Amino acid sequence: MTTMAGSIDYGERIPNNVDLANDRRLQRALESWQPKFLQWWQAMGPELPHRDVYLRTAVAVGRDGWAHFDRVVLPEYRWGIFLAEREPGRTVGFGAHQGEPVWQQVPGEYRSELRRLIVIQGDTEPASVEQQRHLGMTAPSLYDLRNLFQINVEEGRHLWAMVYLLHAYFGRDGRDEAEALLLRNSGSTDAPRILGAFNEPTADWLAFFMFTYFTDRDGKFQLGTLKESAFDPLSRTCEFMLKEEAHHMFVGTTGVDRVVERTAQLMREHDTDDIRSHGGIPLDIIQRYLNFHFSVSLDLFGGETSSNVAAYFTAGLKGRWQETRRKDDHRLVDSTIAVDSLVDGRPGSIEVPAVTGLNQDLRREYVQDCENGLNRWNRILEEAGIERRLALPHQAFSRHVGAFSAIHATPAGEVLDDAEWERRRDEFLPSRADLDFVSSLMQPVYEPGRIASWVAPPRVGINDHGFEYDYVRFA
Ligand code: BYC
């Protein structure tokens, strides 16, 4: 059976728009991976028993076709392989191969670098599902529970996207890597996930909203650079993943909006900053969560100077954010860029060859984008007549990767010695008491139309349904 351009074949065991039926070898390989994926999902995916969930499933990759809504039982979700449509005549947009036709196969000389990029990307997807496994037990409403499950199934699909590339283009090594993606686990001491942020627990719903705002946003930027890749199947996969990613960030943005809104409301109502006894989350705690999730996400961009990123760019494997809109030669042979560095033991910057500074270039774009959330949340505070503001911490604050990992700094960027940092840490990052308090608020609210005390209801529901709709049903 062949598929029409853009449409997805749901008649197959693995829904796809890559004509899997005509590649028996690949189809068999993926069909043998499928039960292992399902086993992993049962063991590591959402643990809340339910009857069905109102979910969005992709039916075609064109402009509108990918958003089909239906009630689904989670393990029966139709995970599949969807690539954006091929752009005829596409050429390499940057690096040493600029202007040459893009590649439909992996060039031998770039095989290991491409595999590494795909494995790192692939590793984050199941990691986030593992991190969010227990959240279904304590959702503040059915609307939020449904959004969690939507994100989880899509992260599962993003894993499928990377596993397809590994199986289709990397032979035996690719199959081994695909297996390994199900064997590493978030937070495991023996076989942890590759990147730091994906081994941190997402212990409560405030952490979940911060994660989907800050860490999913790293996903947006990393996928955006891989979308520029000269390896066309990777580019097309990432383009489609980005469409799904937009909803995840929406959940984060509006999730934090709603927490801040409720906090502001309780502060006004009770005329106090300490709204804990009224069932709300004080702004101090929100700020400390924000500090943590922002700094841990900054680490995901790697070091400020990296020979890896220079090699990726020059080879055409990973571009810059919005590469085609940049007004330069797209080769960067002679240009330089300012990157963060320690200067006399303090946060400062140095000039380096531009190609080696591209992790910082991407991090800069990311930070600018993060500011939008802060503006929104501060507008909510302002409109409620509250003077306090939330802020992004300094980039030297609480870093474990890059130049600033060598020092301790406050959210304002002031350098602290080890002893002072230890003494003041709980001012800046969520303390045990903060985590315990937030955890005490996490009581499930699973009656349609009702919501927990610490968060405001959303302004709109999903796909024209109101907030009161029974987005998740139980047996
Ligand atoms: N933790 O040369 P450097 C998403 C390692 S999120 C631990 O500076 P490079 C999502 C690095 O591997 C997007 N280790 O780094 C969001 C290297 O190790 P080796 C994920 C780290 O290679 C929410 C060494 O340090 N996608 O999609 O220039 C939910 C030196 O590093 C970390 C991608 O990341 C860390 N944080 O850049 C679900 C895209 N950072 O080789 C999903 C693919 C670095 O010396 N990955 N290291 O042993 C890449 O583009 C790059 O590999 C990185 C690092 C940006 C990660």
Side-chain angles (χ1 to χ4, degrees), residues 339-389:
V339 299
D340 291 344
S341 174
L342 286 180
V343 179
D344 301 328
R346 305 194 166 276
S349 73
I350 52 168
E351 285 285 320
V352 299
V355 276
T356 65
L358 293 181
N359 283 343
Q360 169 99 43
D361 180 73
L362 191 61
R363 181 154 44 223
R364 209 167 266 147
E365 298 282 344
Y366 167 83
V367 172
Q368 261 178 31
D369 203 42
C370 287
E371 291 283 359
N372 294 330
L374 273 294
N375 293 339
R376 284 174 74 107
W377 306 327
N378 284 332
R379 208 170 318 124
I380 294 172
L381 293 173
E382 189 181 344
E383 281 167 12
I386 288 166
E387 268 169 41
R388 215 15 244 275
R389 295 290 175 263

Side-chain angles (χ1 to χ4, degrees), residues 116-118 120-121 124-125 128 132 155 158 194-198 211 215-220 222-223 225-226 245 248 296 299-309 312 318 359 401:
R116 178 173 184 275
L117 285 171
I118 292 167
I120 295 180
Q121 180 62 46
T124 63
E125 314 289 0
S128 68
Q132 294 161 16
E155 299 298 9
H158 292 180
I194 299 172
L195 299 176
F198 294 91
F211 181 95
T215 307
D216 276 282
R217 192 167 306 275
D218 167 51
K220 164 182 163 182
Q222 298 291 352
L223 291 171
T225 63
L226 296 176
E245 205 63 46
H248 307 182
V296 95
D299 280 345
L300 291 172
F301 291 83
E304 291 75 17
T305 53
S306 162
S307 54
N308 287 339
V309 80
Y312 298 153
K318 183 180 177 188
N359 283 343
V401 172

Side-chain angles (χ1 to χ4, degrees), residues 174-370:
R175 290 197 293 280
D176 292 346
E177 293 286 9
E179 301 261 314
L181 286 171
L182 297 175
L183 299 178
R184 285 185 291 272
N185 291 135
S186 177
S188 156
T189 31
D190 303 335
R193 291 295 175 184
I194 299 172
L195 299 176
F198 294 91
N199 287 305
E200 299 288 346
T202 308
D204 57 61
W205 278 76
L206 180 58
F208 173 65
F209 291 145
M210 292 290 177
F211 181 95
T212 44
Y213 186 82
F214 289 108
T215 307
D216 276 282
R217 192 167 306 275
D218 167 51
K220 164 182 163 182
F221 281 85
Q222 298 291 352
L223 291 171
T225 63
L226 296 176
K227 180 173 84 92
E228 305 290 343
S229 183
F231 179 43
D232 204 40
L234 174 62
S235 161
R236 291 167 56 209
T237 300
C238 291
E239 187 170 340
F240 186 69
M241 288 163 76
L242 276 164
K243 294 187 181 161
E244 292 168 320
E245 205 63 46
H247 173 258
H248 307 182
M249 284 177 296
F250 163 86
V251 168
T253 310
T254 55
V256 180
D257 280 1
R258 292 161 51 212
V259 178
V260 172
E261 185 185 332
R262 180 65 180 149
T263 293
Q265 214 174 47
L266 289 169
M267 285 170 74
R268 290 291 304 237
E269 211 170 293
H270 300 282
D271 196 21
T272 173
D273 287 356
D274 189 2
I275 52 171
R276 280 177 298 184
S277 60
H278 306 290
I281 306 179
L283 282 178
D284 284 342
I285 297 185
I286 297 177
Q287 179 68 60
R288 286 195 282 274
Y289 269 65
L290 192 160
N291 290 348
F292 173 76
H293 287 274
F294 178 66
S295 57
V296 95
S297 301
L298 289 181
D299 280 345
L300 291 172
F301 291 83
E304 291 75 17
T305 53
S306 162
S307 54
N308 287 339
V309 80
Y312 298 153
F313 181 82
T314 305
L317 312 181
K318 183 180 177 188
R320 287 170 295 173
W321 178 248
Q322 301 203 317
E323 183 67 50
T324 44
R325 295 206 202 153
R326 305 255 183 158
K327 302 256 179 297
D328 56 32
D329 68 356
H330 303 279
R331 288 179 182 247
L332 308 179
V333 180
D334 298 319
S335 44
T336 62
I337 182 177
V339 299
D340 291 344
S341 174
L342 286 180
V343 179
D344 301 328
R346 305 194 166 276
S349 73
I350 52 168
E351 285 285 320
V352 299
V355 276
T356 65
L358 293 181
N359 283 343
Q360 169 99 43
D361 180 73
L362 191 61
R363 181 154 44 223
R364 209 167 266 147
E365 298 282 344
Y366 167 83
V367 172
Q368 261 178 31
D369 203 42
C370 287

Side-chain angles (χ1 to χ4, degrees), residues 406-424:
I407 56 165
H408 291 300
T410 64
E414 177 200 347
V415 178
L416 298 182
D417 63 29
D418 289 0
E420 189 73 352
W421 167 261
E422 283 307 322
R423 203 176 62 74
R424 296 183 58 191

